[in-house]
Amino acid sequence: MPEVKKIATRVSYGKALAELGEIHDDIVVMDADLAASTQTAIFGKKFPDRFFDVGIQEGNMMGIAAGLATTGKKVFASSFAMFATGRAYEIIRNSIAYPRLNVKVCASHAGVSVGEDGASHQCIEDIALMRVIPYMVIIQPADDIETKEAVKAAYEHNGPVYLRLARLASPVFNTDPDYKFEFGKGITLRDGSDVTIVASGLPVTAAMEACEMLAADGISARLINIHTIKPIDEELLIKAARETGKIVTVEEHSVIGGLGGAVCEAITEKCPVPVRRIGLHDVFGESGPALELYKKYGLDAQGIYAQTKEFVEGK
Amino acid sequence: MNNTQLEIIANKVRQDIIVGTFNAKSGHPGGSLSATECMVLLYNEIMNIDPADPDNPDRDRFVLSKGHAAPGLYSVLAERGFFPVAEIENLRHLGAMLQGHPHIAIPGVDMSSGSLGQGVSAATGMALSAKMDNKSYRTYAMLGDGELEEGQVWEAAMFAGNHKLDNLCLIVDNNNLQIDGTLEEVNSPYPIDEKYRAFGFHVINVEDGNDFDQLRSAFAEAAQTKGKPTCIVMKTVKGKGISFMENNVGWHGKATNAEEYKAAMDELKRAGEELCRK
């Protein structure tokens, strides 16, 4: 692969937010003492009157965000995925989602690519937690370009949104100048007929590599990037199930309740086919370099390749 | 409005509370009755609100953080004209507008609440928004005294004090009873006033939170307080106005049976007739 630019989606988020703040003065940004990490500090520096760092109190941050939203503000509230969706879960449910308020929960440091900080900070259940909340929308962009569009989409969407972002710098693969982010629509990155790989977030680029490796073995893999996990693109997934007969899901999240769960739920009623879910199988993560963790959980190109090949060959 | 007029409204509200919870066969009369005078005064005299324009962006806000006192809030809103009093009869019924706990979709309800500790954060956000936009509306939030056991209450207090939100007024309904017993028996939040003072609040202790004059003077003092939020700690009587419910924790979350319903309504109607003779 030629040398590609690498940018973490959290960095793209911080920049996009600061840009969006210039256009929309109803945007308010909040953070819980992690503004440097979540990159909301960029907005905070530019618009100090519309930025509130509440300190280490994620629950109160979500509640204040809800109150601000009742007055017409569009609030982007950020922390690490663990604390935003875990610690503040019930406040998101009862104070944000139930009254259907315009709060965008934008959480960085999702998944095992957090790396060295270890299991306590590697949130692998946030998609599951947010998916079960009525009205909640979930977007997980895969690169810089997609993140910038996702931030705009989150702003435009009327109601709560969960935006899942990562710590690790990742390749910017959306180089097409006509890239279009369509809310709720999956993107077919590569056509194929033997199997469909459905990925979301950082593992998308590894899945692209895996597809090349599979092709070298004569396996034709379709690749779908799902940026909107809820509502998920059922039509595209059912079509893929029908046409390729097998689906592999890839996510840095628990295979319970995340992308894998969502894909299974989407296809089961209309076109059930075998699904191999790649991700964390009911285990916590651990400390280590992000890429080594990806390897351990089979989320790197080699891991996706090997598991898909085995699955396709019926082993 | 004079006190007799307010007392007449409070009496009607109490009857509505009993009717609503009796028809629902559930709900929380005790804490609705203790908070009645405060909510009646707020919605009929203190707050800048208009039942014909419940979403006016410049209106004062009220968040019932102790959301289980919804029968009290709904009755106050209905008697004030936000929606027909007849809706109270359908409280908690399937398909009805009035949900078991306050919901923002109900005319006059400024925030969904009921999960304790959360309403006060939302109220803090409303007050913060007014400061950002230089709006003059005030935000009121009522908390239960047992609710003070929730950590989020103190997170919100820390933020409100730190940001000097003098347009925010909290009211603690200090009836001293929670589901499992007295506050001291369960997990005492006392001294409430000293705690709020330490968080940067102006604190006003109201000896009788079921007395309109004392409440009126507290709200006036709160409105004049600049540079810090206010917390009014009002001592109230749980179950106030119905003799067999007063100071009885058993009436926290229980509706009357037919016999109790009749006794409660008879007592309230007698009190109402007396007020009308005043």
Side-chain angles (χ1 to χ4, degrees):
Chain A
M1 256 190 158
E3 195 61 34
V4 290
K5 197 165 63 168
K6 283 188 173 183
I7 304 173
T9 53
R10 64 183 165 121
V11 175
S12 315
Y13 162 68
K15 288 180 180 164
L17 204 51
E19 281 172 27
L20 211 59
E22 282 178 18
I23 308 166
H24 306 290
D25 57 13
D26 55 356
I27 293 180
V28 178
V29 176
M30 303 188 75
D31 210 296
D33 201 39
L34 291 168
S37 296
T38 65
Q39 302 281 317
T40 59
I42 306 170
F43 183 98
K45 204 172 166 192
K46 205 164 167 184
F47 306 105
D49 296 341
R50 290 191 271 146
F51 176 74
F52 298 97
D53 194 328
V54 302
I56 308 159
Q57 37 177 243
E58 297 78 13
N60 186 41
M61 173 172 71
M62 297 304 174
I64 291 177
L68 284 164
T70 66
T71 69
K73 305 291 185 196
K74 293 192 174 178
V75 190
F76 287 71
S78 285
S79 178
F80 287 178
M82 187 70 257
F83 316 125
T85 69
R87 172 70 66 102
Y89 176 77
E90 199 232 321
I91 296 129
I92 293 175
R93 183 204 187 268
N94 276 324
S95 286
I96 293 173
Y98 177 45
R100 208 170 194 162
L101 294 169
N102 256 320
V103 177
K104 320 300 172 184
V105 177
C106 302
S108 71
H109 292 62
V112 291
S113 60
V114 164
E116 291 80 354
D117 275 353
S120 62
H121 286 55
Q122 295 166 346
C123 193
I124 51 162
E125 54 274 76
D126 50 327
I127 297 174
L129 288 168
M130 295 296 105
R131 269 186 69 216
V132 291
I133 301 178
Y135 305 146
M136 184 59 82
V137 155
I138 304 174
I139 302 175
Q140 174 166 243
D143 78 348
D144 175 62
I145 307 290
E146 199 158 273
T147 304
K148 287 176 175 163
E149 295 305 313
V151 174
K152 286 183 207 160
Y155 173 84
E156 297 297 339
H157 178 76
N158 188 26
V161 172
Y162 177 55
L163 186 66
R164 189 178 203 242
L165 305 162
R167 168 178 178 262
L168 188 69
S170 58
V172 184
F173 64 87
N174 280 305
T175 47
D176 182 352
D178 295 329
Y179 171 85
K180 197 162 158 247
F181 181 97
E182 281 185 272
F183 177 79
K185 295 285 178 197
I187 301 171
T188 305
L189 293 172
R190 182 188 178 112
D191 201 12
S193 53
D194 296 330
V195 63
T196 300
I197 299 177
V198 180
S200 180
L202 264 49
V204 169
T205 44
M208 288 166 84
E209 267 186 73
C211 287
E212 293 286 341
M213 295 158 80
L214 289 162
D217 288 356
I219 296 171
S220 165
R222 183 177 300 185
L223 177 59
I224 294 175
N225 168 22
I226 290 288
H227 51 63
T228 311
I229 295 177
K230 186 186 171 192
I232 203 161
D233 192 344
E234 272 193 20
E235 201 186 325
L236 188 69
L237 293 170
I238 289 165
K239 186 167 174 278
R242 213 164 261 150
E243 292 174 0
T244 69
K246 281 185 176 177
I247 291 182
V248 173
T249 60
V250 190
E251 60 190 320
E252 55 166 331
H253 186 275
S254 169
V255 295
I256 303 168
L259 177 71
V263 168
C264 288
E265 287 164 25
I267 64 167
T268 305
E269 287 190 15
K270 288 181 184 154
C271 186
V273 297
V275 177
R276 170 70 66 93
R277 296 166 300 154
I278 300 177
L280 276 83
H281 286 261
D282 208 14
V283 291
F284 288 108
E286 63 180 87
S287 287
L291 295 178
E292 284 180 31
L293 285 160
Y294 258 46
K295 194 175 170 187
K296 169 167 178 167
Y297 298 108
L299 292 162
D300 62 342
Q302 177 62 35
I304 298 167
Y305 158 75
Q307 290 172 88
T308 304
K309 187 174 158 77
E310 182 191 270
F311 182 53
V312 170
E313 289 172 352
K315 286 175 197 162
Chain B
M1 211 173 255
N2 69 40
N3 284 1
T4 306
Q5 289 170 307
L6 290 168
E7 279 166 30
I8 289 168
I9 297 169
N11 178 269
K12 284 184 192 163
V13 164
R14 289 201 156 89
Q15 294 188 40
D16 295 338
I17 291 167
I18 298 305
V19 169
T21 51
F22 175 71
N23 280 358
K25 298 186 178 66
S26 65
H28 299 77
S32 295
L33 293 163
S34 64
T36 295
E37 277 75 13
C38 182
M39 290 195 283
V40 165
L41 186 69
L42 280 168
Y43 277 94
N44 290 277
E45 191 177 302
I46 306 293
M47 285 167 61
N48 172 32
I49 43 98
D50 177 4
D53 187 13
D55 298 323
N56 188 311
D58 296 321
R59 73 190 187 280
D60 286 342
R61 267 78 169 169
F62 177 78
V63 179
L64 185 64
S65 201
K66 49 169 285 185
H68 54 277
L73 175 62
Y74 295 157
S75 301
V76 169
L77 291 173
E79 294 293 346
R80 187 69 178 80
F82 281 88
F83 48 80
V85 175
E87 286 287 345
I88 302 288
E89 291 171 21
N90 300 320
L91 171 68
R92 291 175 167 242
H93 287 199
L94 188 63
M97 176 177 76
L98 299 181
Q99 298 298 297
H101 289 82
H103 190 35
I104 202 163
I106 299 166
V109 174
D110 290 320
M111 182 61 192
S112 303
S113 61
S115 176
L116 295 177
Q118 297 192 24
V120 66
S121 290
T124 302
M126 293 173 191
L128 181 66
S129 183
K131 288 284 179 193
M132 289 176 74
D133 295 346
N134 289 315
K135 283 183 181 273
S136 60
Y137 70 78
R138 291 180 61 75
T139 302
Y140 298 88
M142 183 184 283
L143 298 91
D145 47 8
E147 184 178 6
L148 301 178
E149 292 155 4
E150 282 283 3
Q152 191 178 344
V153 164
W154 302 104
E155 293 184 3
M158 191 182 289
F159 184 93
N162 189 43
H163 284 260
K164 304 181 170 44
L165 298 179
D166 54 15
N167 54 356
L168 176 69
C169 179
L170 306 185
I171 305 130
V172 176
D173 183 10
N174 188 196
N175 59 37
N176 199 44
L177 292 170
Q178 58 188 116
I179 299 177
D180 284 349
T182 66
L183 298 195
E184 291 95 335
E185 282 166 348
V186 181
N187 189 6
S188 170
Y190 294 120
I192 298 168
D193 50 0
E194 285 178 34
K195 284 192 176 70
Y196 269 102
R197 246 177 240 123
F199 279 85
F201 278 64
H202 175 64
V203 179
I204 304 168
N205 282 301
V206 170
E207 278 310 306
D208 183 355
N210 298 112
D211 179 281
F212 287 114
D213 285 333
Q214 291 184 36
L215 288 169
R216 190 180 283 118
S217 118
F219 284 121
E221 187 179 327
Q224 282 156 15
T225 301
K226 299 296 167 203
K228 47 170 71 174
T230 293
C231 178
I232 296 172
V233 184
M234 58 169 196
K235 283 211 177 84
T236 59
V237 173
K238 195 153 188 161
K240 176 76 178 178
I242 296 159
S243 46
F244 63 88
M245 289 190 181
E246 288 193 0
N247 286 315
N248 183 342
V249 75
W251 291 99
H252 172 90
K254 190 178 80 163
T256 49
N257 63 27
E259 196 182 325
E260 292 156 345
Y261 172 77
K262 190 177 179 304
M265 290 302 280
D266 284 351
E267 185 175 348
L268 289 171
K269 280 177 184 161
R270 273 197 308 276
E273 281 159 17
E274 259 177 57
L275 283 168
C276 289
R277 277 197 293 273
K278 263 195 191 175

